[in-house]
Amino acid sequence: MNGTALPTARRLLGKLPFVDPGRPPLPARTAFLTGASSGIGKALAAELCLRGYDVHLTARRIEVLEELRARLTAAFPQRSVTVAALDVTEHEAVARAVDDAARQFGGLGMVIANAGADDWGNIGEGRFEAHRAVVDVNLLGAMATIDAAVAHFRSKGGGQVVGLTSVVAAAGLPGAAPYCASKAGLTTYLQSLRGELWTSGITVTTVAPGYIDTPINESLGDKRPFLIDTLTGARKIMDRIEAGAVHATVPRVPWAVVEYLLARLPTRLLRKVKA
């Protein structure tokens, strides 16, 4: 297949349900990652290095990132690992961090908006500030990261933007309103972005995990069906990212089915589902 036919085939395939259009070649095998100090982000940092990426890791806790950098550098001496303290709710700082990483590496190929927060509790019980903080991180912080990434990728003529959402973006679960709302908002934001960039050479990937064993959900204990560990989760996430997935539940089975059902459950049944 020649160079003209390949993008055309990808565009056609991308219109079919459950078919990934394939990711165009990245302009650089370098990745910028938020929320890298724990959970999925920490596992993704190692998985990226394992797959041959140079990485720029960010999170609020610089001392944890420094420890992670030391371990990754020892395990993958051929890889370049840089770190920086970053609070994604400081939107101007996010843009500067993306620019700084691009300068260090001479360009970025992938930006993964992974930083996340949660707060479990009902609406109207005096938790509004905590609920707003969840939206600030999960939605506005991700939007700031993605906006800066797209600006960079436009200048390079390509790249891949990845947003970590959740299967629960498909429905508003009782007791998890800010988390569900923030992830639903991010899912829609990425969908809009995908339409804007469809023929630009910039891939937009939405990753919607089910239960992966992280600090965000560990308080739920054994109420986490189909639970997988973070290393398995990171491997499966990167498999879908590198395939150029448009929208990927992780693992695909059973969560693609669960996501479909959650979006269609009537409230009388949905109210019995716990996040």
Side-chain angles (χ1 to χ4, degrees):
M1 186 175 289
N2 62 40
T4 302
L6 183 57
T8 302
R10 283 173 175 155
R11 286 196 295 272
L12 292 173
L13 286 171
K15 296 177 181 179
L16 300 176
F18 312 116
V19 176
D20 297 336
R23 186 191 67 181
L26 294 178
R29 202 162 178 80
T30 53
F32 178 100
L33 174 66
T34 65
S37 61
S38 67
I40 294 173
K42 185 176 180 180
L44 277 174
E47 187 67 23
L48 283 161
C49 288
L50 179 64
R51 296 183 184 224
Y53 291 83
D54 294 327
V55 295
H56 185 79
L57 310 177
T58 69
R60 289 179 297 175
R61 298 176 293 171
I62 188 63
E63 69 283 356
V64 177
L65 289 178
E66 293 286 4
E67 293 174 3
L68 178 58
R69 175 170 62 176
R71 290 198 296 273
L72 292 176
T73 300
F76 307 100
Q78 72 279 24
R79 300 272 61 85
S80 176
V81 180
T82 60
V83 299
L86 179 64
D87 183 340
V88 296
T89 65
E90 297 176 1
H91 304 149
E92 291 184 0
V94 173
R96 288 196 300 271
V98 171
D99 288 343
D100 288 345
R103 280 193 296 271
Q104 288 183 55
F105 287 139
L108 295 170
M110 180 185 299
V111 171
I112 304 176
N114 166 73
D118 73 319
D119 185 78
W120 312 119
N122 294 331
I123 298 168
E125 294 183 348
R127 302 197 58 80
F128 178 75
E129 288 304 315
H131 289 181
R132 185 180 69 175
V134 171
V135 175
D136 283 347
V137 173
N138 293 358
L139 179 55
L140 298 180
M143 288 171 61
T145 305
I146 292 163
D147 186 82
V150 171
H152 173 69
F153 292 149
R154 285 187 189 278
S155 71
K156 293 294 182 180
Q160 185 169 15
V161 179
V162 181
L164 268 289
T165 64
S166 172
V167 168
V168 300
L173 303 185
Y179 188 80
C180 294
S182 65
K183 295 301 187 179
L186 179 55
T187 298
T188 304
Y189 181 81
L190 290 165
Q191 186 179 33
S192 295
L193 178 63
R194 190 174 297 114
E196 293 178 14
L197 300 178
W198 191 250
T199 60
S200 69
I202 302 172
T203 302
V204 180
T205 296
T206 302
V207 178
Y211 282 116
I212 298 177
D213 191 13
T214 68
I216 276 186
N217 59 50
E218 65 184 0
S219 63
L220 299 176
D222 60 0
K223 299 177 181 178
R224 296 177 290 175
F226 314 114
L227 182 70
I228 61 174
D229 63 83
T230 53
L231 295 180
T232 302
R235 176 173 54 80
K236 290 180 177 293
I237 287 170
M238 283 305 304
D239 285 346
R240 301 306 306 282
I241 290 173
E242 291 197 320
V246 171
H247 181 100
T249 56
V250 176
R252 188 180 304 199
V253 177
W255 291 109
V257 176
V258 173
E259 183 183 59
Y260 178 88
L261 294 175
L262 280 175
R264 290 158 178 80
L265 281 179
T267 302
R268 68 178 181 276
L269 297 179
L270 192 63
R271 68 187 179 88
K272 299 180 180 181
V273 179
K274 299 298 181 182

